Amino acid sequence: MLKSRSRRRRKPGAAQPARLEGSRTIANLRRAFAGEAAFVFRYLYCAALADYEGFDEHSILFKEIAEGGTTSVHGCFDLFALVRDEESGLSVGSTPKNLERLLQEESDLSGRAYPEMAGVARQEGFSDIASWFDTLEKLKRSHARKLKRLARG
């Protein structure tokens, strides 16, 4: 006979999905996530540059800080599991749901966002940046193909 799980009681002030959806707190959490993720990659870029320039001590510290920053990013992502993403309508969850969400996001970037960004850059006379957006679009399209293959099994 299986024992039923005891229901855990929520702590006062614990995040409740219904209250969190559309709140300023979730908007701030998204801002924190974007900022922390950007910092992680900024530190990784600076570490690679420091390596290239021969500043080993700087590179080590930059990498250490970037690695610690991933904890902050993961913490934000753990909280995102409580709500649906505004754009995709999906939430972070099980691996199959994550695959669905990632495929949707990659497809959107390759099919709409990056081509639009490239078009704007061309209109404004920034052909080199437009070319970079074209490169990102091709990369995202490649990611989407790989994710589709994985989804089909």
Side-chain angles (χ1 to χ4, degrees), residues 20-31 79-80 83:
L20 193 56
E21 199 82 48
S23 69
R24 288 184 8 219
T25 296
I26 194 65
N28 287 337
L29 185 61
R30 286 186 176 108
R31 282 182 44 214
L79 293 167
F80 287 151
V83 297

Side-chain angles (χ1 to χ4, degrees), residues 35-98:
E36 291 297 322
F39 273 122
V40 166
F41 284 100
R42 187 171 294 128
Y43 273 107
L44 290 174
Y45 178 83
C46 291
L49 187 59
D51 273 339
Y52 178 77
E53 294 174 342
F55 292 96
D56 296 338
E57 192 175 334
H58 294 72
S59 176
I60 290 167
L61 179 60
F62 294 161
K63 288 175 186 174
E64 182 183 307
I65 292 171
E67 188 175 315
T70 60
T71 302
S72 303
V73 172
H74 289 179
C76 291
F77 237 99
D78 287 343
L79 293 167
F80 287 151
L82 298 173
V83 297
R84 293 188 174 281
D85 181 66
E86 291 175 338
E87 291 182 28
S88 69
L90 301 171
S91 58
V92 176
S94 66
T95 297
K97 285 188 184 215
N98 291 341

